[in-house]
Amino acid sequence: MSVIEKQNIVVIGASGHAKVVIDILERENKYNIIGLIDSYKPKGMSIFQYKILGTENDLPDLIKNFNFNAGIIAIGDNWIRKLVHDKITQLVPDFKYISAIHPSAIIGKNVTIGQGTVIMPGVIVNIDSKIGNFCILNTKASLDHDGDIKKFSSLAPNATVGGNVTIGSFSAICLGANIIQDITIGKHSIIGAGALVNRDVEDYKMVYGIPAKVIRTINEGEKYLYHAEDFVKPKEVFEINSTLEEIYNKKDWDDVLKEIGYYDFYHTYDYHDLSKNDNETPLLLKYVENDIIIAIPLLIRKIENTNYKDATSVYGYAGPISKNLSFSFDNTQFQEKIKEYFEVNNFVSVFSRLNPFISGQCRALINLGTITRQGKVVNINLKLDIDIQRQNFQNRLKTHINKARRNCTIKRAASEEGLQKFMDIYYENMDRVHAKNSYYFKKDYFQKMVSSQDFKSEVLLAIDNESGETIAASQFVMTNNIVQYHLSGTKNDFLHLTPTKLLIDEMRLIASEKGYTYFNLGGGLGGKDDDSLFNFKASFSKDFKDFFLWKFICNQKVYDELVLKKGVDTDSNFFPLYRSLDDINVTL
């Protein structure tokens, strides 16, 4: 049996961190450790059985004498690790770096790990994550799926990082810190021990606490292995002026939207008014704190045979809109005002679908109930060149669109007759898919949609060239820089022509020409991202956006009593549980 010769290496550093790295290398049993390199401890001193051979300055001679040209930098401080790397590069430009991964670490599928990185015992790195060069993932740290840790960054022991989180270069996530999903941590930032990060952290910031708040700006290379009290300074005391206002009328509602400036059509008074059922009342809650504005549109419902009420969301993507809401916003005062309002006014629960194209929604609502990811929506990035957009189409989709263009002509529904054709086709489509009653909108719904001054609604018709018959129709709604694919239908006898695909493609071209940014096709049935409806939409684009739900139980005692009285399955994800399963909240 042949013996595989192990590569000679050195460990650069001789501190406690170096001991852990040595232990990992011995367990891997892939390398022959020649000795240690350290500039602050005497030559000849031993760590375990390995002697310090010299300093970084001695490397050119040591490489010749001991026959090695590779090693690992075993220094815990991110910035010092970088400085040592730079010094070695100057002295020995072709020096190679190995990584050290403890056998007990769990590394998921498609994970990439950069050179010089150390992964310690009990670490978990989930699928499709990227770890840069010269990083440290310390004992029992975890990085969830699609994580991205940039070069020279570190996770301390028991740090927990959610999915789809990016951590910038030279940043340190300290002992036991937690970062929720979809967060970006800037470069050269420090997340203090035990912190809970629920919002993005900018470059060069130190944050501490639950939830984490910015303590101060830090300098490049600043130390982070210290106690929080060494750096946390008393907050500057200033007066917080805050108000919460109920708005029920269109004029005041419109004024708030104008003041905030950026919103979707789902936030408008007109859409709430035309969407409401007989027992629902549109309400806009306007919160003002100094120069910050947060507005939450809701539909208020009475709970039958009680003195209580609850609030729900319109059909579509609503949630709060805001102005001057920074990453460092402390929503404590906002929480208090909102909770007090719902308590005084006998609310049991509040539900809203959030909008994937409105920023700051989760930031405003943190610690108010729960925010859960429901699925994904499909967006076409209209800022891309139209040919690039089309290149992202699935090949089969391109074939179907080409066929539909040969057989159909697209026209705008510019008359009452065209609108009626759209409604007839839509209802036929709902019959075919056995849609829930909530999808059968009344005639005045369609009429108000196209006549509203709050947003622009466009209905496109597909005309069969051979018969001259209108065979499909789709409604799109444009507000600010967002286009929403709202409602659609195809006649049963013409499904083989796939005219809806052509209608979407035609709106893509129109919207691109007019300078819109987002074209939201939505998700699957009920917000799913794994059904045939979602797959149909995903054939247009792989630019997926996460879609979240906000659920807030204002009065847990009454909520539980109503659930018990209703006798529903408490394991259901339906919200609120005491509402009938025919409620619009179960569909999207």
Side-chain angles (χ1 to χ4, degrees), residues 161-181:
V161 180
N164 198 35
V165 168
T166 298
I167 298 174
S169 301
F170 304 99
S171 287
I173 315 303
C174 294
L175 195 75
N178 296 276
I179 303 174
I180 70 168
Q181 74 284 345

Side-chain angles (χ1 to χ4, degrees), residues 386-399:
I386 58 173
D387 293 331
I388 300 298
Q389 295 173 23
R390 183 177 169 86
Q391 286 177 20
N392 293 328
F393 290 4
Q394 292 180 2
N395 289 333
R396 187 178 180 188
L397 172 65
K398 297 174 188 176
T399 301

Side-chain angles (χ1 to χ4, degrees), residues 12-29:
I12 302 158
S15 62
H17 179 70
K19 292 180 181 179
V20 179
V21 173
I22 291 170
D23 180 64
I24 295 172
L25 293 172
E26 289 180 339
R27 291 172 185 270
E28 285 188 292
N29 197 28

Side-chain angles (χ1 to χ4, degrees), residues 244-273:
L244 185 64
E245 178 184 0
E246 297 174 294
I247 295 174
Y248 293 98
N249 67 82
K250 177 175 170 56
K251 180 185 180 304
D252 291 341
W253 192 308
D254 290 349
D255 287 345
V256 174
L257 296 186
K258 184 177 180 181
E259 189 175 6
I260 289 176
Y262 190 74
Y263 54 89
D264 205 342
F265 88 96
Y266 299 113
H267 298 98
T268 63
Y269 177 87
D270 278 6
Y271 185 67
H272 277 73
D273 188 52

